[in-house]
Amino acid sequence: IIGAIMIGCMLFAIFVGFPISFTLIFLGLVFGYWGFGKLVFYLMTLQFNMIMTENTLAAVPLFIFMGVIMEKSKVAEDLLTSMAKLFGRIKSGLGLSVVIVGALLAASTGIVGATVIAMGLISLPAMLKRGYPQEISTGLICATGTLGQIIPPSIALVILGDVLSSAYQQSQLSLGNFAAKTISVGDLFIAAIVPGLMLVVAYAIYFVLFVKVSSEGQSQDQDDLEIPKLIRSLLPPFALIFIVLGSIISGIASPTEAAGIGALGAMLIAWSGGKLSGGVLKEATRQTAFITTMVFLILIGASIFSLVFRGLGGEEIINEIFNAIPGGLFSA
């Protein structure tokens, strides 16, 4: 019953607008003190120490820094401008450019906030100017912006990889398998590539069909397309994506090492374009610290909340709910 009350309080607090990180930490401490007394503070310290000393999570601030540098150096703006000119004669060309550039930014940043902000500031005024409805314009930008959650290198996949690895090992040990192969972040990256590309194709097809059926939007003149500029805009992000993902998938580098390479590569791209200054570096560092703090607060809060939730019997409630689903148990 206490576990069910915890879930209800959490949903209520989130729906009324409380920050999710502080909500999880507060509820974990309150219900933990109710169920375990002062022991909850010791358990909280152990969880905090375990998270902050996990080597895999060191990739999070590095990937965030890589994405922020790509945003601040105007790489997204150059990409969108060039792609819009490339598809200029097509009525849905600007929307297709948003989808493609959003996918490239997702693969080169790994964070949603930077992609959505960059795409919104750059592409939304242009789409509205071309006659696209506000609903489809903002919806397309938000949808492509969230590709950073699934297209590697995704910050969410890095965190999930760390959590799933521990959970998978515990489940295998409980089944008597003492030599189970762990689930790595690289495995998740490989598994997420095809679903990510399917989403990109689905967004593009939907937008093309919408424009064709509704007759909204306008084409633009393509005469001023500069092929060398297009190549200069596309080549650096593609090279960065290939190096970062290729090194992880091939096993040459760990996610943390690949993230360091990506951060350095993003700085080199910004420097080669003459857009890496002290001010840009300072702002990128500040924003990286802000986003990293937010991510780790949520991670710590979720860890404390789940620890108390399991300790108070909430896990049994979840098991009963899943076992009550029609169809019974299934084993592959």
Side-chain angles (χ1 to χ4, degrees):
I1 294 177
I2 297 178
I5 296 175
M6 283 186 69
I7 295 294
C9 292
M10 179 191 69
L11 294 176
F12 174 78
I14 292 175
F15 287 151
V16 298
F18 285 104
I20 186 171
S21 56
F22 297 114
T23 297
L24 293 174
I25 294 174
F26 177 76
L27 291 178
L29 289 177
V30 170
F31 283 92
Y33 189 80
W34 182 10
F36 307 117
K38 295 181 180 179
L39 179 63
V40 68
F41 298 108
Y42 176 72
L43 297 175
M44 180 187 69
T45 305
L46 289 179
Q47 288 294 105
F48 182 84
N49 181 71
M50 182 181 67
I51 292 173
M52 300 308 295
T53 55
E54 177 59 47
N55 292 330
T56 305
L57 297 180
V60 173
L62 292 171
F63 276 133
I64 292 175
F65 181 76
M66 181 180 73
V68 174
I69 285 290
M70 297 288 283
E71 176 198 354
K72 299 298 180 183
S73 60
K74 307 296 182 183
V75 172
E77 185 174 350
D78 295 340
L79 272 174
L80 185 62
T81 303
S82 301
M83 294 299 295
K85 291 179 180 179
L86 179 64
F87 293 104
R89 294 192 184 278
I90 306 175
K91 208 171 196 181
S92 55
L94 185 56
L96 290 175
S97 303
V98 171
V99 174
I100 295 173
V101 174
L104 289 174
L105 288 179
S108 58
T109 62
I111 50 177
V112 172
T115 306
V116 173
I117 292 173
M119 298 298 293
L121 293 176
I122 300 166
S123 59
L124 183 58
M127 294 186 73
L128 296 178
K129 185 178 179 181
R130 300 278 172 77
Y132 297 113
Q134 182 177 349
E135 295 81 3
I136 191 68
S137 301
T138 54
L140 186 68
I141 292 171
C142 290
T144 54
T146 55
L147 288 173
Q149 290 280 48
I150 187 171
I151 295 182
S154 166
I155 301 301
L157 291 179
V158 174
I159 297 174
L160 280 175
D162 176 65
V163 175
L164 287 177
S165 178
S166 176
Y168 179 75
Q169 284 182 316
Q170 292 179 13
S171 65
Q172 291 300 303
L173 288 174
S174 65
L175 294 174
N177 184 5
F178 298 99
K181 182 181 180 294
T182 60
I183 299 176
S184 66
V185 176
D187 295 332
L188 290 181
F189 280 2
I190 296 173
I193 292 176
V194 173
L197 293 178
M198 290 175 64
L199 281 176
V200 173
V201 174
Y203 293 159
I205 293 175
Y206 178 85
F207 188 79
V208 170
L209 293 178
F210 173 83
V211 172
K212 186 175 182 179
V213 172
S214 64
S215 300
E216 301 281 357
Q218 306 171 4
S219 60
Q220 67 170 354
D221 191 5
Q222 193 187 8
D223 295 336
D224 57 348
L225 174 64
E226 301 177 9
I227 299 299
K229 184 177 180 181
L230 176 62
I231 295 175
R232 287 196 302 268
S233 301
L234 289 176
L235 189 58
F238 268 119
L240 185 64
I241 294 168
F242 177 79
I243 293 173
V244 172
L245 292 185
S247 61
I248 296 176
I249 293 174
S250 63
I252 298 175
S254 67
T256 303
E257 294 166 344
I261 296 172
L264 178 61
M267 293 178 64
L268 290 176
I269 292 174
W271 175 78
S272 63
K275 297 173 181 177
L276 183 63
S277 61
V280 170
L281 195 59
K282 179 181 178 181
E283 178 61 22
T285 305
R286 187 196 66 82
Q287 191 167 344
T288 299
F290 178 80
I291 298 175
T292 302
T293 303
M294 178 184 67
V295 170
F296 273 88
L297 270 177
I298 295 175
L299 184 59
I300 292 170
S303 178
I304 296 173
F305 183 90
S306 63
L307 177 69
V308 174
F309 182 74
R310 291 196 306 268
L312 293 176
E315 192 171 4
E316 283 75 12
I317 297 177
I318 302 299
N319 289 332
E320 291 177 5
I321 292 175
F322 278 107
N323 290 333
I325 295 177
L329 298 177
F330 173 78
S331 58

